[in-house]
Amino acid sequence: MVVAEAGSARPGRRAVTSADVARESGVSRATVSYVLNRKPGQTIPEETRRRVLEAARRLDYVPSASARALRKGQTGIVLLAMPNLPQGPVLSAFVHELADGLSEGGLTLVTHLDDRAHSTLLKVVQALSPVAVISYPQLPPEPSRRLFASGVRWVTGVNLSLGPRDDDHQWAVLPGRLQAEYLIGLGHQRLGFGWPEDPTLAPIAQDRLEGIQRCCAAAGCPPPEVGTVPIEPVRAVEAVATWHDRGITGICCYNDDVALAVLAGARMRHLSVPGDLAVVGVDDVPLAALANPPLTTIRQRSDEQGRALAARLLALVAGTSPPPAAPDLTMSVVIRESA
Amino acid sequence: MVVAEAGSARPGRRAVTSADVARESGVSRATVSYVLNRKPGQTIPEETRRRVLEAARRLDYVPSASARALRKGQTGIVLLAMPNLPQGPVLSAFVHELADGLSEGGLTLVTHLDDRAHSTLLKVVQALSPVAVISYPQLPPEPSRRLFASGVRWVTGVNLSLGPRDDDHQWAVLPGRLQAEYLIGLGHQRLGFGWPEDPTLAPIAQDRLEGIQRCCAAAGCPPPEVGTVPIEPVRAVEAVATWHDRGITGICCYNDDVALAVLAGARMRHLSVPGDLAVVGVDDVPLAALANPPLTTIRQRSDEQGRALAARLLALVAGTSPPPAAPDLTMSVVIRESA
DNA sequence: GTGAAAGCGCTAACAT
DNA sequence: ATGTTAGCGCTTTCAC
């Protein structure tokens, strides 16, 4: 454990403040603040500017985040709350782009990883005073209200959308819709849905299932039969067997992990994929292409979602009107051999 | 996007402060502070205490984190910095336990997910003023120094240890050591190491490789041959073929993901596992048991690591002497069929 | 046991 | 163009 006491730069010394910079450069603290914050209208002579900047650099000056936040009445922190699930490349890209986008506007993204009660989120929020909270999956109204009461200004889900809840929901439902449309287009009439065992995923799974249900209804098929698929050989087989026995031929899986388990189950049961059972995942994780047979799945442009959400959040914080939702947040079917 | 303006609880109203609570309960702000912070020695009459608490609850009072941090000169935030890798259950458990442990001591854990330059970490640190930063993998000395200069008091790796760098390193090397010991114990003389393609994993992989190298040296075997294994069918096959052609019989993989790719490669190449090639992973992800054949792997007790690190950090912040490192942070070989 | 008051470091309105 | 000043909300001596 590489541990050291405070201020290895100037050991034992207290932090340098804007007063130090002011003294060092022979101006007042106000001027220092003006220079460092670069107000657009402000007119500071180049010479002074240079002197202040120079002094700040020489002293290794770092403005106190707490003091600034106290004065301005708000921090520049955005908190992303999500369960600490197995993180796929999809979420990674989203986080990456979101952080970059926010950073360009002076906001800072940090993450709270937890899948337990909303009370831990509340605690973190109270310790951080973030200006906005993004939650995946979406927060129910009551916890959401408590965040506002703790001073958070904006609360949103990860799905980019315009209006209140509905648009978000449209989006959340889409993976299921695409899976079902694809399978039905292939001629499958009886669909199953591979539900994830992890209970924290339930809200997300519920949305995807709804997308499938709507599709089935629209196409005049019977509603999908839901089966929980554990990531565990023996019990995964059970789910597969049940589907097959009941004449189900197309399985929409919550995600690729579930789909891979279904594939394993089918193999153990000596069922052919896609002959006996067609399988579709969501996410297009790297392992999907490696699977036996290679997995057909839904790919999301989560990077674009991240960028777009960042842009909207920046606009909200700046008080300007948010940009319109990106027109084509593509989500597409990656066709391989499993369906 | 469920978005709303500030203070849905009391719309348009500014936040309630300790002054409001004081007024409401008919005492001074000092008393409010005493009651809410519950100083051990402090002696406040039950009646007053109750009145203050009641008023705080009624007003939905939330202390300002910035003001408190400014006054105390330090936040209660601990920042965990890690690349946004695929998060396995191992890291999840670590994060979970770490967060819980810290929370019990009044510290709050948040995560910065990024695999790019250390400068983004520096920015986040300056926006948050965390009291400690935990980094995985470990931070080199120079970035570490800059964190201290920005006011961070303690910087550490995720590996629990006592002294400066060495203990951490011992720990990081262990997975490789266990893999090699197991394979050599099985009679394998010529070992390979499955290097991950993701460049951000290199520092961690390097440590594990070093564990294998030492083992080979100690046992009089030739040093392990390193092959990069992409999570991609065709190129994974190549790595496997190269090993096999050169007479390698035991493969230590960086983690289970790499090991699963090796398994897939071996299957495509019609090599038998463990007959032609014995394969060992690290992590024991759920899919490991599902693999064909089921994967032998190294399981870490990362939950205990998390707890222990939390305890040490709490002690440091409190100024008391840190508890000794846990004696038996077990890391064990989970024997299945792939080796 | 409780209150008055100082001050943490910063920004922004106002004064010069 | 720059300096003076008044707080932001909190904790914590120091009086009473």
Side-chain angles (χ1 to χ4, degrees), chain A residues 86-90 175 179 193-196 201 208 229-231 251-265 279-300 332-336 338, chain B residues 231 260 287 290:
Chain A
Q87 280 244 81
V90 174
Q179 291 176 313
F193 180 67
W195 187 272
L201 297 173
R208 294 186 182 171
V229 181
I231 311 287
I251 311 293
C252 306
C253 296
Y254 165 75
N255 68 4
D256 288 351
D257 282 357
V258 169
L260 292 173
V262 169
L263 253 36
V279 179
V280 184
V282 176
D283 275 355
D284 195 20
V285 299
L287 246 39
L290 271 179
N292 180 14
L295 187 66
T296 293
T297 186
I298 309 293
R299 177 191 292 156
Q300 304 192 36
S332 56
V333 183
V334 178
I335 302 174
R336 297 212 180 85
S338 71
Chain B
I231 312 287
L260 292 172
L287 245 39
L290 272 178

Side-chain angles (χ1 to χ4, degrees), chain B residues 42 67 86 133 144 221 230 273-274 279 307 322:
Chain B
Q42 219 49 56
V133 173
S144 187
C221 303
V273 175
V279 179
R307 275 282 160 192

Side-chain angles (χ1 to χ4, degrees), chain A residues 74-225:
Chain A
Q74 104 178 14
T75 65
I77 299 175
V78 174
L79 182 66
L80 171 64
M82 48 183 195
N84 48 13
L85 320 167
Q87 280 244 81
V90 174
L91 267 184
S92 286
F94 174 79
V95 172
H96 205 103
E97 293 300 318
L98 178 60
D100 276 7
L102 290 176
S103 168
E104 281 163 19
L107 296 185
T108 303
L109 183 74
V110 291
T111 306
H112 168 64
L113 297 171
D114 202 344
D115 30 12
R116 292 159 301 168
H118 294 306
S119 63
T120 71
L121 172 58
L122 190 62
K123 271 193 184 174
V124 172
V125 162
Q126 296 184 348
L128 282 187
S129 311
V131 63
V133 173
I134 305 165
S135 163
Y136 179 73
Q138 191 136 311
L139 234 37
E142 174 52 20
S144 187
R145 197 200 59 79
R146 306 191 64 170
L147 294 190
F148 286 126
S150 299
V152 177
R153 300 278 264 278
W154 292 282
V155 177
T156 168
V158 296
N159 297 325
L160 167 87
S161 57
L162 295 164
R165 200 196 136 86
D166 266 4
D167 286 353
D168 245 21
H169 194 236
Q170 288 303 330
W171 182 259
V173 143
L174 202 46
R177 221 187 71 196
L178 289 176
Q179 291 176 313
E181 275 172 5
Y182 178 70
L183 285 174
I184 291 173
L186 248 37
H188 295 272
Q189 295 281 321
R190 309 261 294 127
L191 266 37
F193 180 67
W195 187 272
E197 195 171 36
D198 185 337
T200 64
L201 297 173
I204 309 171
Q206 182 58 50
D207 286 337
R208 294 186 182 171
L209 173 56
E210 204 174 313
I212 299 166
Q213 288 167 333
R214 287 193 204 165
C215 241
C216 286
C221 303
E225 300 211 7

Side-chain angles (χ1 to χ4, degrees), chain A residues 1-2 4 100 153 155 161, chain B residues 1-2 4 100 116 153 155 161:
Chain A
M1 183 143 74
V2 177
D100 276 7
R153 300 278 264 278
V155 177
S161 57
Chain B
M1 180 140 79
V2 176
D100 277 7
R116 291 158 302 169
R153 300 279 265 277
V155 177
S161 56

Side-chain angles (χ1 to χ4, degrees), chain B residues 83-102:
Chain B
N84 49 12
L85 320 167
Q87 280 244 84
V90 174
L91 266 185
S92 287
F94 174 79
V95 171
H96 204 104
E97 293 300 318
L98 178 61
D100 277 7
L102 290 175

